[in-house]
Amino acid sequence: MQTIMTVKAMRESDQRTIAGGVSGRELMRRAAGQLYENVHWCGRTEIVCGAGNNAGDGYALAELMHAANLPCRVIRLSDQCSSDGAYYLNRCIQAGVPVIPWTEDLVFNECATIVDCIWGTGFHGSPAGVERSAIERINQSRARVVSVDINSGLNGENGMADLCVHSDLTISIGHFQPGHFLNRAKDVMKRKIAVDIGISPLDTHLRLAETEDFADLFAPRPNDAHKGSWGYMALIGGSERYSGAIRLAAMANAAMRSGAGVARVVMPRGLYHDLLPLVLESTLFPLSDRNGTLTFRENELREAVAGTRAVAFGMGIGISDDGQKALSWLMAHYPGRLVVDADGLTMLASLPREVIASAAGPRILTPHIGEFSRLTGKSAGEILSDPIANAEEYASTTGSIVLLKGPTTIITDGQETWLTDRGCAGMATAGSGDVLSGILTALLCRAADPLRGTAAAAFIHGWAGELAQERMGSIAMTASDTAARVPEVVLSMERSKINNSD
């Protein structure tokens, strides 16, 4: 597990470290050392520096490279400099490192590597002037690009940018910030690492999901276990209008592959014969319907969810008064873990938040940005400008777990927040959310902590999508390709648990 820190918390942690006796100059030296050690340097390097401490890291790096006889040059975009940065700039000049000012005719045709030290994580807004020209020129070059702290021009809080550096490697000094993952981040940095320079985190409520965080959920099973040991679950959804049979089949398959003991598919009676040949391992439970759309019968719904540990509701079920009644009944009476997705979220948006807050059991909501906009009444732009805070606020006021889908998925209960950056562009296709709901419901059957179970599901789903894209490409892959890769991920998780236990 890696800690992710907001820009403010990172700044405060940095200041606390300095107040504790480690000088800013020493932290800059450590940062340069980590940059030097984590890049394979070859050919000539251009280090492009702005005005702040990010530039100071570049100056300190240049001094190290020059001492090691690695050809480098510093290009300054500004005459301004922080006090610690000025110290290392003067050392560069004294050592004989070439230091030149930026000129509009400067090009990067002959260098092997460009180090981006223009701005750090505190930047927000739109690049202008000489910095904009430098970023454009860096992006036009064919050199390898290494960004220090974060890609210059990228907002460290939300990953948004009008224009920013595109990097081959981004090295975050200390800890990752949300902007390393959200919105545009995946499209502008091919690889990223965080390096330790001795800054202790002030706030640890944000976490990056990694394999070892969930390996215990996939421990090898004892031979005397039975299907009931791993939990009964129910998937309630589908309608004739929304191709419910195929979508429910994909969900059921993903759930079983994720380790569910029994996956019960609950659907309108009119879908029964369509679904029967598509679902082999799961059990079917038909509900009363009218023209392929659910008709609410309390006794039927109670029987459908009896004995289950987790239920998912809403996928392809359509919007109807009967669907609204079914959802309201589950919110008020079902004591297990209830996943609300798709059409269920649309119907939930019309209910007061108090209905969710007073629910009979844990509620896990899985919206994409459009659905979350309906739930919160906020525009997509408002949400994207600070998706973590918006998800945390909604989860806190409703007493629910929110899984907010995006390039990086946010999972929060309002107190603790996970980010998972597993996933890929090919997953932006119909049915991906249904596969996630199947995986999620299966894991909620056996995870002691529903928040961690939800984070694990998002992690597995994203990893499976990446494997599918490797085989099918981002254009041709479908949600069923992701479902088909789930066993590979689960096996990797199981082996990880075995290896960690040795």
Side-chain angles (χ1 to χ4, degrees), residues 16-40:
R16 186 178 65 172
T17 301
I18 293 172
V22 181
S23 69
R25 190 176 296 178
E26 169 61 17
L27 290 176
M28 201 169 279
R29 185 194 66 78
R30 293 179 187 178
Q34 287 286 3
L35 295 171
Y36 180 82
E37 293 294 335
N38 280 282
V39 178
H40 175 67

Side-chain angles (χ1 to χ4, degrees), residues 451-474:
L451 179 65
R452 196 162 72 97
T454 302
F459 182 83
I460 291 166
H461 181 240
W463 188 353
E466 291 172 0
L467 294 178
Q469 182 168 290
E470 287 176 9
R471 291 162 174 77
M472 308 299 294
S474 64

Side-chain angles (χ1 to χ4, degrees), residues 227-430:
K227 62 186 179 183
S229 303
W230 316 114
Y232 282 65
M233 54 171 279
L235 304 169
I236 306 174
S239 63
E240 190 172 71
R241 182 178 178 184
Y242 293 103
S243 304
I246 295 174
R247 296 175 68 177
L248 288 170
M251 288 177 63
N253 179 45
M256 294 300 295
R257 296 296 191 182
S258 301
V262 175
R264 182 182 300 161
V265 181
V266 183
M267 72 295 176
R269 193 176 304 277
L271 299 181
Y272 181 85
H273 293 292
D274 291 334
L275 190 59
L276 191 60
L278 300 176
V279 177
L280 302 179
E281 292 87 0
S282 300
T283 61
L284 300 181
F285 192 105
L287 298 175
S288 298
D289 71 335
R290 185 181 302 108
N291 299 322
T293 300
L294 169 73
T295 298
F296 174 65
R297 298 283 186 272
E298 181 178 338
N299 61 324
E300 289 183 350
L301 193 56
R302 180 181 288 108
E303 185 180 355
V305 300
T308 61
R309 296 182 188 173
V311 166
F313 176 89
M315 300 66 58
I317 206 166
I319 310 299
S320 67
D321 290 342
D322 281 280
Q324 186 86 55
K325 291 175 183 177
L327 175 59
S328 296
W329 186 89
L330 288 167
M331 295 293 292
H333 297 95
Y334 180 64
R337 296 163 177 181
L338 175 64
V339 177
V340 184
D341 188 26
D343 295 327
L345 292 168
T346 300
M347 290 185 281
L348 190 65
S350 65
L351 297 176
R353 291 192 183 189
E354 293 75 19
V355 172
I356 309 173
S358 61
R363 302 303 177 237
I364 299 89
L365 315 181
T366 60
H368 54 58
I369 293 297
E371 291 164 338
F372 196 56
S373 177
R374 288 192 289 273
L375 284 172
T376 61
K378 296 182 179 182
S379 69
E382 287 179 278
I383 294 166
L384 291 172
S385 67
D386 198 347
I388 293 175
N390 279 294
E392 289 175 342
E393 186 273 337
Y394 189 83
S396 181
T397 58
T398 59
S400 63
I401 293 171
V402 171
L403 185 157
L404 181 58
K405 301 168 186 172
T408 288
T409 296
I410 300 164
I411 306 99
T412 182
D413 61 1
Q415 301 297 318
E416 181 182 334
T417 301
W418 293 79
L419 301 186
T420 173
D421 66 341
R422 301 308 298 252
C424 54
M427 297 176 75
T429 186

